[in-house]
Amino acid sequence: MANEGSQNPAEAGLKAVQDATERYHRVSKAVEDGYGLMFGCVSGGDYGAMGLHYVNFPLVADGEIDVTRPEIILYEPLPNGRLRITGADFLVLAADWDAKHPGAGAP
């Protein structure tokens, strides 16, 4: 088994996101940390479901992309009424990024 220091960048990034979202397996913790439900579960025929999008707007507006602080946490509603975390998304507004990183181009 390879040690953590030999991970390729994609594996390291995935591990960082998994570590960062571990505390959000309970949606109540996400809400406590400033995430709020913005988009309901959307499903589309052959394309599957998108899940519930809990967005942290201060993170969206901070002009940064930080793998340890996702702007959006995704949940799937379960038949028992609970929510299961399914993913994380990263979002930055172009104007906020450009203001913090003049001339740097897209993240």
Side-chain angles (χ1 to χ4, degrees):
M1 183 161 133
N3 67 35
E4 201 166 302
S6 67
Q7 286 182 330
N8 72 42
E11 289 172 339
L14 178 60
K15 175 80 168 99
V17 172
Q18 289 171 331
D19 290 346
T21 58
E22 179 66 30
R23 68 184 174 271
Y24 297 129
H25 282 254
R26 293 182 58 101
V27 72
S28 60
K29 180 60 178 158
V31 171
E32 182 181 307
D33 284 357
Y35 292 85
L37 179 61
M38 281 282 92
F39 308 106
C41 192
V42 178
S43 56
D46 297 334
Y47 302 106
M50 290 288 294
L52 303 171
H53 291 64
Y54 280 74
V55 180
N56 185 316
F57 280 104
L59 292 179
V60 171
D62 72 0
E64 298 291 340
I65 294 290
D66 179 349
V67 70
T68 67
R69 297 176 51 199
E71 286 79 8
I72 303 168
I73 307 291
L74 302 165
Y75 292 92
E76 170 187 28
L78 300 174
N80 65 5
R82 298 187 71 174
L83 298 177
R84 176 175 58 195
I85 190 170
T86 59
D89 279 340
F90 298 87
L91 174 68
V92 65
L93 302 176
D96 294 331
W97 175 265
D98 291 342
K100 269 196 128 166
H101 306 277

